[in-house]
Amino acid sequence: ASGSVTGGEIIFSQGTVNTAQSYRMDASIPLNDLTITGNTANNRNATVTLMINPLVLNGSLTLSNANSILDANSNNILDVSLKGDFTNNGTYNHYQNTTTFNGGVQGILGTSSTSFHNLIINPITRVNLSRDIDVEGDLTLSRGQLVLSDYYVNLSENFINNASYTDNATGVILLGTQEQEISGTGTFSTLSLNNEQGARLLNDITLTKNLNLTQGVFNINRYLLTLGQNSDITGAPFSAKKMIESDGVISDVGIRKYFSIYSGPEITFTYPTGTGGKYTPAIFTYSNNDAVGYIRVNNINSAHPGVIDPDRVLEYYWEVENSGVSGVTGNIELHYNQGDVPATTNDANFWAVRTIGGTSWSKGGTELVDENNNIITFNYTNESDLTGEYTAGEDDAFPDDIPQFTSNQDGIWSNSSIWTQTGGDPYVLTGGPNGFIVTIREEDEV
């Protein structure tokens, strides 16, 4: 009717008896320490198979030697949870179960190669690794911290991080055979993608260490990927098959990288962005930065809307935003795809252009567009405002000041008579003010 276990240790072992032993175990209440010890002298296994109820331990689980086996029951597939250490010197047959660490300070120990199906890290304080582990299902960090030290977590399915993990440049490796999902509001340390099918973000995430791209596309879609001052993106050379992909629309937020104060030889950071199978990176090179801050880059897979003639401009542009950085000396190179040059024009006639203050175009001249290598270059000297929308096109396809229009009555957007020009270069509407700066008065419905 009732029961409790408040301490002690349950040991399954045949001792020196020269025979293999299969044990069955079922407990509907939490146990304390559980140890399985096979007979190594005669190579005889001690196998403990769970029966009906999940195994719940308030203490530690120890598989003492190579002849010690815990079986989660291939028919019932029973979960295991523990508040102490898991020492695995034997074999853990987990099948498709879930293993949960929910104690205080815990460790995954032992000499055997340890794998889990679904693994939940939910300690009050932390779980420490003492060797690499494999997670064949999902990895969920719910609370506390997973301390990897010099070891790896090889993950085959999804990663849900609502806590944190730390590592010494090892981290979590995504190496599944289908696209993997990354989600959660926790702090990410080193993250590596080694999955040909790629990975996909389900929300904004922040990395404190490196993002390593070994193979596959890291799809951030509409979300923000933030990299700290000590973070880099490694794995060059990048390509359309190994890059960071967004949805390619203005509502995306892209990649945000924080930069430290620096003065010295040139340093280069690559935003390996792309969309729709096109690799279109932004490469930032600098020799000076006077303040800690970030530069965010988002790539948009369409012509900029604030132009006069979209048939004579690149059908692609980059949104750049900075905050905090100042006194920047260096340049940014934007690599475009030849297929985004309209057939009605020639990129040999393109000028490098960017918006200033969101209302004007700054034009840098044709010498800043390398049509042979498809590179647009913008140079900075002691610059503190890098914010703008960057692209290229023929000079007279861009107004100096983007036209601004204000509604003068209720009406349909495409009816040019309901708009009055209130700023920018003169422009005669033949329809709605698409792509220009628009103000709708409070009293109007458009």
Side-chain angles (χ1 to χ4, degrees), residues 162-176:
N162 290 305
S164 68
Y165 67 99
T166 63
D167 60 78
N168 299 331
T170 49
V172 176
I173 303 175
L174 307 173
L175 41 60

Side-chain angles (χ1 to χ4, degrees), residues 220-237:
I220 63 174
N221 55 83
R222 67 180 185 272
Y223 299 110
L224 177 64
L225 172 64
T226 298
L227 302 169
Q229 294 180 55
N230 298 317
S231 301
D232 198 0
I233 301 174
T234 70

Side-chain angles (χ1 to χ4, degrees), residues 34-36 60-65 68 82 84-92 101 107-112 114 116 130:
L34 176 66
T35 298
I36 304 171
S60 295
L61 172 61
T62 302
L63 309 183
S64 299
N65 54 44
S68 308
L82 62 157
D85 296 335
F86 180 21
T87 301
N88 181 18
N89 297 312
T91 301
Y92 175 35
F101 289 79
I108 299 176
L109 313 169
T111 58
S112 293
T114 300
F116 302 92
S130 66

Side-chain angles (χ1 to χ4, degrees), residues 218-273:
F218 190 66
N219 189 341
I220 63 174
N221 55 83
R222 67 180 185 272
Y223 299 110
L224 177 64
L225 172 64
T226 298
L227 302 169
Q229 294 180 55
N230 298 317
S231 301
D232 198 0
I233 301 174
T234 70
F238 304 107
S239 67
K241 294 184 178 181
K242 186 171 66 171
M243 65 177 181
I244 297 174
E245 182 179 43
S246 71
D247 288 344
V249 296
I250 189 62
S251 57
D252 295 347
V253 279
I255 304 170
R256 179 172 64 187
K257 171 71 173 82
Y258 280 86
F259 294 92
S260 304
I261 297 172
Y262 178 78
S263 182
E266 286 187 340
I267 296 177
T268 295
F269 177 82
T270 298
Y271 297 79
T273 59

Side-chain angles (χ1 to χ4, degrees), residues 370-387:
D370 179 354
E371 68 273 13
N372 295 316
N373 296 298
N374 299 135
I375 301 173
I376 311 165
T377 302
F378 295 84
N379 296 310
Y380 307 119
T381 302
N382 196 28
E383 180 68 64
S384 297
D385 184 9
L386 283 60
T387 297

